[in-house]
Amino acid sequence: MTEAVSRIIQFGFEDIGLERIQAKCLVGNIGSAKVMEKTGMKFEGLLRSYMKIKNEMQDLNLYAMTREDFQSL
């Protein structure tokens, strides 16, 4: 999964010309958080009560990478 996400990030910055890529995951989803961190994305914060899942509001972690971050990898 890390390799696939890394390629998507590369495509976003190099081919599309994006300035920023961000992703969110449920607080308890440690696997997804690790993939984001391994690809160079940085934790930016907690989105409290951000999404309703199965009739309960859930907190999400926000990760992001800027073009500058990507170029410094």
Side-chain angles (χ1 to χ4, degrees):
M1 184 54 81
T2 301
E3 191 174 321
V5 173
S6 293
R7 180 59 189 110
I8 291 167
I9 290 171
Q10 180 182 8
F11 177 78
F13 287 121
E14 292 180 357
D15 297 339
I16 299 177
L18 298 177
E19 292 296 325
R20 175 183 170 87
I21 295 173
Q22 66 182 34
K24 300 177 273 291
C25 68
L26 290 169
V27 170
N29 191 338
I30 300 195
S32 290
K34 283 184 180 181
V35 168
M36 289 184 247
E37 291 169 0
K38 285 169 109 177
T39 59
M41 298 184 90
K42 296 179 178 147
F43 177 75
E44 291 197 334
L46 174 68
L47 302 170
R48 297 177 24 209
S49 296
Y50 189 81
M51 180 181 286
K52 194 172 200 175
I53 300 173
K54 296 183 182 178
N55 288 327
E56 285 190 38
M57 295 306 293
Q58 299 291 322
D59 297 340
L60 299 181
N61 285 330
L62 174 65
Y63 290 83
M65 178 185 289
T66 63
R67 174 181 292 284
E68 184 178 341
D69 295 334
F70 175 74
Q71 291 171 339
S72 68
L73 291 178

